[in-house]
Amino acid sequence: TGCAAGVMSVRGDLDGTTLFVRKSDALALENAGGVLKVWSSGLDAPIVVRRTASQELVALSVLCTHKGCHVTPLPESFECPCHGSKFNEDGSVAQGPATRPLRRFAVRETPVSIIMEVAP
Ligand code: FES
């Protein structure tokens, strides 16, 4: 685990197109507002997982849909450092120049794991 820009980062285990993170490695997601960056060598970019105020997990690619910079997670949104696009916490565009939402991955949780489907 490491820490970049205040967001915890953890390596997930990729099995085919399913990405697993142990909850013991994902303590940042225990509470609403928590954010965790998950990466694996099989991914083209890290995934940001957030637990929203309604306790829902949302998993989004960090790749900005404008030109591919990595967006920065903010408390309830994302911001792109390159040209200023802003995205809501569900990945939808809040401010251009980006016009398409961040890529969203299906995510579910079990008592021990957070599991994402990352098929291309
Ligand atoms: Fe994100 Fe241009 S790459 S706004």
Side-chain angles (χ1 to χ4, degrees):
T1 43
C3 189
V7 175
M8 290 298 297
S9 179
V10 65
R11 195 168 74 83
D13 293 318
L14 194 59
D15 180 8
T17 57
T18 306
L19 182 63
F20 295 86
V21 178
R22 280 184 301 278
K23 278 194 170 167
S24 55
D25 290 337
L27 301 180
L29 295 177
E30 282 190 339
N31 297 312
V35 175
L36 183 70
K37 207 177 265 192
V38 181
W39 59 277
S40 164
S41 55
L43 296 176
D44 55 1
I47 294 173
V48 171
V49 187
R50 185 194 303 264
R51 189 174 299 278
T52 67
S54 57
Q55 297 294 329
E56 184 193 10
L57 288 178
V58 177
L60 298 165
S61 170
V62 298
L63 288 181
C64 180
T65 55
H66 178 231
K67 301 269 189 204
C69 291
H70 286 198
V71 297
T72 305
L74 299 177
E76 294 182 337
S77 62
F78 298 86
E79 193 170 62
C80 183
C82 290
H83 315 100
S85 289
K86 292 186 176 141
F87 300 87
N88 300 308
E89 66 180 0
D90 67 355
S92 58
V93 177
Q95 178 184 301
T99 57
R100 287 173 295 122
L102 298 175
R103 183 171 174 208
R104 189 164 173 169
F105 301 94
V107 55
R108 65 186 193 276
E109 58 187 318
T110 70
V112 294
S113 298
I114 291 169
I115 303 166
M116 285 157 273
E117 296 302 332
V118 298

